[in-house]
């Protein structure tokens, strides 16, 4: 059993993939070839966002909007404590200070109330200036963006939808939720992945769009030798765009297949494991299917034992994330105590990600659930 089965998907669309790759080899425009623009148009259509710019990775898709806003030393950037490192790493790279916000136990996403409190604290202390908020759609589920935007109260919001492309919340679609700009990743194991690194930025703001387009190509003006800003080489390869096009064709079907797998898990998991819950009016892109082990002192040791038992049966599992951001060595100088963000800390000790991809069969899901029952 695969944790994420990219081969099953590949054999389904192999002809289309090869035709697309061949066509790039034939025209030879490896940088900013026609497939890049085609993909951006398709992504704009899929999300409803007016401007889409692809870029070299999800990490660059976070970096470029922060650069466009001039985020740097003296700025506080509010990020969830429970996320992938890049969300906090990019503001820190620019010299800003990540301010960690706790997540909600059910959605595992940044809570609007915790965000409001963190913003109020930073304003009260008066040392840092609020620069940006980066809510994350963890494991495939969008945060309540309406509540987050209200709490942000005018502070620029960058939606990190690297894991939740394709998800919806109260009629809003990931990457077009009202945030100033959104970022996604096409890392191979994400819900929509290419065969290398890739990412995209989405906005409805014309001015910001023009700046993002410039920054991803060395701060270009009317051409790439008319440099007007300090930018980066942040372009997506034409080959990656060509690979994403046939994958996007089957993406809506894959989202439904992932929901089916989630339904099978929900029905067959041992009752002692806490299942993920989708609030009413939301859909998930199920980047991960995560369960929580019982809330005991030795939860993380028990989790190790469960993983070991499953490995014996060739069932791969993963821990996303074993260390919340505020406990990472790299952020030790910020002076957080582990218990400052108790929900993130608790999740990091109990969470376990199970195999999840659109090509899992019901009997495989039931096999995982049976193995978990025995291991517990
Ligand atoms: C994967 C991921 C990123 C980074 O994307 P890359 O394409 O790997 O650079 C950023 N944020 C979150 C939440 C992610 O899961």
């Amino acid at each position: 059993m695969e944790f994420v089965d990219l081969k099953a998907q590949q054999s389904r669309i192999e002809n289309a993939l090869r035709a697309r790759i061949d066509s790039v080899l034939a025209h030879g425009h490896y940088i900013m070839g026609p497939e890049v623009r085609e993909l951006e148009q398709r992504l704009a259509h899929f999300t409803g966002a007016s401007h889409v710019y692809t870029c070299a990775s999800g990490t660059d898709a976070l970096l470029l909007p922060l650069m466009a806003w001039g985020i740097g030393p003296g700025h506080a950037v509010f990020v969830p404590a429970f996320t992938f490192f890049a969300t906090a790493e990019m503001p820190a790279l620019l010299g800003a200070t990540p301010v960690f916000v706790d997540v909600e136990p059910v959605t595992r996403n940044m809570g609007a109330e915790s965000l409001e409190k963190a913003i109020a604290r930073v304003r009260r202390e008066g040392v840092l200036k609020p620069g940006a908020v980066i809510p994350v759609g963890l494991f495939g589920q969008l945060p309540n963006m309406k509540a987050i935007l209200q709490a942000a109260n005018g502070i620029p919001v960058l939606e990190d939808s690297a894991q939740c492309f394709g998800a919806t919340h109260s009629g809003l679609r990931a990457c077009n939720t009202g945030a100033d700009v959104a970022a996604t990743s096409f890392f191979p194991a994400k819900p929509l992945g290419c065969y290398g690194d890739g990412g995209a930025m989405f906005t409805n703001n014309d001015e910001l769009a023009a700046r993002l387009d410039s920054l991803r190509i060395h701060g270009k003006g009317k051409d790439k030798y008319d440099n007007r800003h300090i930018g980066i080489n942040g372009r997506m390869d034409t080959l990656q765009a060509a690979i994403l096009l046939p994958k996007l064709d089957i993406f809506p079907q894959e989202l439904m297949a992932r929901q089916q797998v989630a339904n099978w898990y929900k029905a067959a998991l041992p009752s002692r494991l806490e299942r993920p819950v989708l609030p009413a009016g939301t859909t998930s892109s199920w980047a991960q299917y995560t369960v929580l082990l019982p809330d005991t002192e030795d939860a993380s040791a028990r989790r190790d034992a469960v993983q070991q038992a499953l490995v014996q049966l060739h069932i791969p599992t993963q821990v996303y994330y074993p260390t919340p951001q505020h406990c990472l060595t790299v952020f030790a100088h910020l002076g957080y105590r582990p218990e400052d963000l108790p929900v993130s800390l608790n999740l990091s000790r109990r969470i376990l990600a199970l195999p999840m991809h659109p090509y899992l069969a019901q009997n495989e899901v039931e096999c995982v659930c049976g193995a978990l029952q025995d291991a517990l």
Side-chain angles (χ1 to χ4, degrees):
M1 195 180 306
E2 305 281 335
F3 190 71
V4 173
D5 192 347
L6 295 175
K7 285 211 188 93
Q9 181 198 51
Q10 189 180 91
S11 56
R12 176 175 171 194
I13 53 169
E14 186 162 359
N15 292 339
L17 278 168
R18 288 194 189 279
R20 280 289 188 174
I21 292 168
D22 278 348
S23 132
V24 175
L25 299 187
H27 69 56
H29 297 289
Y30 302 120
I31 300 293
M32 298 304 279
E35 287 81 1
V36 173
R37 195 64 215 131
E38 186 181 346
L39 175 65
E40 289 172 345
Q41 281 162 355
R42 290 278 308 278
L43 294 171
H45 186 253
F46 184 83
T47 56
S50 32
H51 304 280
V52 179
Y53 292 108
T54 53
C55 57
S57 68
T59 302
D60 279 357
L62 293 173
L63 176 65
L64 290 162
L66 296 173
M67 287 173 71
W69 288 329
I71 297 297
H75 280 130
V77 177
F78 300 87
V79 299
F82 199 59
T83 179
F84 177 63
F85 181 49
T87 316
E89 182 189 26
M90 289 305 102
L93 177 68
L94 293 173
T97 303
V99 174
F100 298 111
V101 179
D102 214 353
V103 296
E104 300 170 333
V106 172
T107 64
R108 293 97 188 248
N109 282 328
M110 183 195 264
E113 238 172 82
S114 308
L115 173 62
E116 214 170 276
K117 281 190 192 138
I119 294 171
R121 192 182 65 240
V122 164
R123 288 202 199 279
R124 203 166 50 238
E125 289 168 356
V127 179
L128 297 168
K129 187 175 178 303
V133 178
I134 316 184
V136 176
L138 207 66
F139 304 146
Q141 212 173 309
L142 259 177
N144 183 345
M145 288 302 297
K146 217 174 134 195
I148 298 268
L149 286 163
Q150 209 161 13
N153 193 20
I155 303 169
V157 175
L158 161 55
E159 168 197 329
D160 181 348
S161 283
Q163 297 185 16
C164 71
F165 191 71
T168 62
H169 192 302
S170 321
L172 298 174
R173 191 171 271 279
C175 297
N176 189 12
T177 63
D180 297 272
V181 58
T184 198
S185 162
F186 302 121
F187 180 83
K190 307 279 172 163
L192 179 63
C194 53
Y195 287 157
D197 279 307
M201 303 170 285
F202 305 74
T203 183
N204 293 327
N205 177 323
D206 299 347
E207 220 171 295
L208 180 60
R211 182 60 73 97
L212 295 172
D213 183 29
S214 165
L215 291 178
R216 76 171 167 166
I217 308 180
H218 300 294
K220 73 178 167 97
K222 63 182 189 300
D223 61 57
K224 71 173 171 177
Y225 301 111
D226 170 33
N227 307 92
R228 302 200 177 174
H229 313 284
I230 299 298
I232 62 170
N233 175 357
R235 298 170 297 230
M236 172 184 274
D237 292 345
T238 307
L239 273 170
Q240 298 305 342
I243 284 157
L244 280 165
L245 282 161
K247 289 198 180 205
L248 188 54
D249 288 337
I250 57 166
F251 186 58
Q253 287 167 24
E254 289 191 336
L255 286 173
M256 287 193 278
R258 285 175 186 271
Q259 181 57 51
Q260 176 63 259
V261 172
N263 294 347
W264 289 330
Y265 270 126
K266 191 176 174 190
L269 277 168
S271 57
R272 291 164 67 201
L273 293 176
E274 240 174 77
R275 299 146 165 77
V277 177
L278 282 187
T282 70
T283 62
S284 176
S285 61
W286 295 111
Q288 306 293 344
Y289 192 94
T290 58
V291 293
L292 296 180
L293 272 83
D295 195 1
T296 57
E297 277 295 312
D298 61 345
S300 84
R302 284 172 145 223
R303 180 176 61 192
D304 288 347
V306 167
Q307 286 195 282
Q308 286 301 321
L310 266 62
V311 162
Q312 300 297 314
L313 303 167
H314 308 285
I315 299 172
T317 57
Q318 300 282 347
V319 176
Y320 303 121
Y321 295 93
T323 311
Q325 299 296 305
H326 69 291
C327 298
L328 288 173
T329 313
V330 67
F331 294 132
H333 65 284
L334 297 176
Y336 287 86
R337 291 164 306 173
E339 62 274 21
D340 286 344
L341 299 144
V343 180
S344 300
L345 182 65
N346 183 276
L347 291 174
S348 70
R349 293 170 47 245
R350 296 168 59 205
I351 204 146
L352 182 66
L354 307 178
M356 169 49 91
H357 59 80
Y359 304 95
L360 269 174
Q362 185 168 9
N363 65 337
E364 291 178 296
V365 171
E366 284 166 358
C367 164
V368 175
C369 296
L372 283 165
Q373 176 74 51
D374 293 344
L376 285 166

